Amino acid sequence: MSEQPATTSTDRADLRADCASCFGLCCVALPFAKSADFAVDKAGGTPCSNLLADYRCGIHANLRERGFPGCTVFDCFGAGQKVSQVTFGGRSWREDQGTARRMFDVFPVMRQLHELLWYLTEALDRTETREIHGDLRRRLDEVERLTRGSADELAEADVAAVRAEVNELLLRTSELVRSEIPGRRKNRRGADLMGAKLKGADLRGANLRGAYLIAADLRGADLRGADLIGADFRDADLRGADLTGSIFLTQAQVNAAKGDAATSIPPGLSRPAHWHGS
């Protein structure tokens, strides 16, 4: 276990949103419907009414209070600045109407590719996966090359096929990491655990891929080494829970949950401002 993680070609800092370098793409390109997450309806390609001239959000400090909690949990994994500054070379959709539609089409594609880069980078950073580091590095480099293609190349990318290929390595990563967790490991992949009472549950090394944990009570639960890719943590209560070493947890999942100062999260993720006692 003393072997150092492989060196990756993608800096994880590049996989975090830099809104100052983006043209507010998530506020324009993506649609949303009036619901508990959004106060109004908005069509894709239409700027949000709260978007300012400098591409910043006019109600950013009060999104939850103004009925836009969905905005606070969204994470583009750095796709916004990549599309704005690399794919389109710093040309804004406001300045160049001819590229606006193409930019809005490319943004969701880039976001999916950057999400895969996030997972691959995490997998490479784990010593448990050293036997597949070569495969992980090759796949990461392939996805990174895709993200640096032209707008036309990105629009034509078969993201589903890329995701399927990456997922094989992510599944292997999960197996390697969780195999080192002692004891019986629960398999609740895709399980409906909405509102489940899991306070203090031992979920070490559990497979919770794609599990529905909406509003679940996970206070004090032990989620160390659990595979959490795609798990829905909206309004899940993670106060006092231990997610140390959990696999493929993202900032968006953390932002969607409830937590506090006693919640242990993996390094590289930030404690949301709305967590009480944070």
Side-chain angles (χ1 to χ4, degrees):
M1 298 298 293
S2 60
E3 181 176 322
Q4 294 298 311
T7 300
T8 62
S9 60
T10 298
D11 186 340
R12 216 167 187 188
D14 294 334
L15 302 177
R16 294 185 174 88
D18 178 8
C19 297
S21 299
C22 177
F23 298 129
L25 292 183
C26 63
C27 306
V28 186
L30 305 179
F32 51 73
K34 186 174 182 179
S35 62
D37 292 320
F38 300 100
V40 297
D41 293 320
K42 188 191 82 66
T46 301
C48 174
S49 60
N50 297 307
L51 186 66
L52 302 177
D54 62 359
Y55 305 106
R56 296 179 182 273
C57 174
I59 61 169
H60 185 267
N62 306 106
L63 282 166
R64 287 179 174 271
E65 294 80 359
R66 297 286 293 271
F68 290 87
C71 296
T72 69
V73 304
F74 179 77
D75 185 4
C76 76
F77 295 96
Q81 66 258 29
K82 176 73 78 65
V83 171
S84 298
Q85 303 303 328
V86 178
T87 312
F88 288 89
R91 299 192 311 277
S92 165
W93 51 271
R94 278 179 173 154
E95 299 166 356
D96 188 348
Q97 291 297 319
T99 65
R101 174 47 57 189
R102 179 63 87 183
M103 183 178 284
F104 301 154
D105 288 343
V106 164
F107 174 62
V109 175
M110 186 71 81
R111 185 197 175 279
Q112 292 183 71
L113 295 175
H114 267 228
E115 182 180 7
L116 295 178
L117 288 176
W118 177 274
Y119 294 141
L120 287 166
T121 302
E122 177 180 338
L124 265 170
D125 283 342
R126 291 182 176 268
T127 55
E128 302 98 327
T129 62
R130 56 192 177 276
E131 67 183 66
I132 60 170
H133 274 176
D135 292 333
L136 287 166
R137 189 182 300 107
R138 281 189 291 274
R139 188 63 67 191
L140 184 146
D141 289 341
E142 290 170 3
V143 177
E144 173 65 23
R145 280 194 294 273
L146 277 176
T147 69
R148 296 191 174 279
S150 67
D152 288 341
E153 290 169 334
L154 283 162
E156 295 172 1
D158 188 344
V159 178
V162 175
R163 184 177 290 276
E165 293 169 349
V166 169
N167 192 50
E168 292 182 11
L169 287 173
L170 301 185
L171 285 168
R172 183 61 180 144
T173 294
S174 177
E175 293 169 358
L176 290 169
V177 173
R178 293 186 301 110
S179 68
E180 298 199 2
I181 305 295
R184 183 178 180 183
R185 296 176 294 278
K186 296 180 176 65
N187 183 2
R188 304 308 304 274
R189 181 174 182 176
D192 183 351
L193 298 170
M194 291 189 289
K197 299 183 185 303
L198 296 167
K199 182 179 179 180
D202 182 359
L203 295 169
R204 287 174 296 172
N207 184 351
L208 291 167
R209 285 181 147 242
Y212 295 94
L213 290 157
I214 301 169
D217 183 357
L218 288 159
R219 287 174 294 168
D222 192 343
L223 290 153
R224 288 177 292 173
D227 185 343
L228 304 176
I229 194 168
D232 193 335
F233 280 105
R234 282 177 294 170
D235 291 323
D237 194 339
L238 292 172
R239 287 177 293 173
D242 190 349
L243 294 96
T244 305
S246 57
I247 313 168
F248 304 135
L249 184 67
T250 67
Q251 190 65 52
Q253 289 170 296
V254 171
N255 290 349
K258 301 174 183 176
D260 60 13
T263 306
S264 298
I265 58 176
L269 298 179
S270 303
R271 197 173 300 276
H274 69 273
W275 281 15
H276 297 298
S278 57

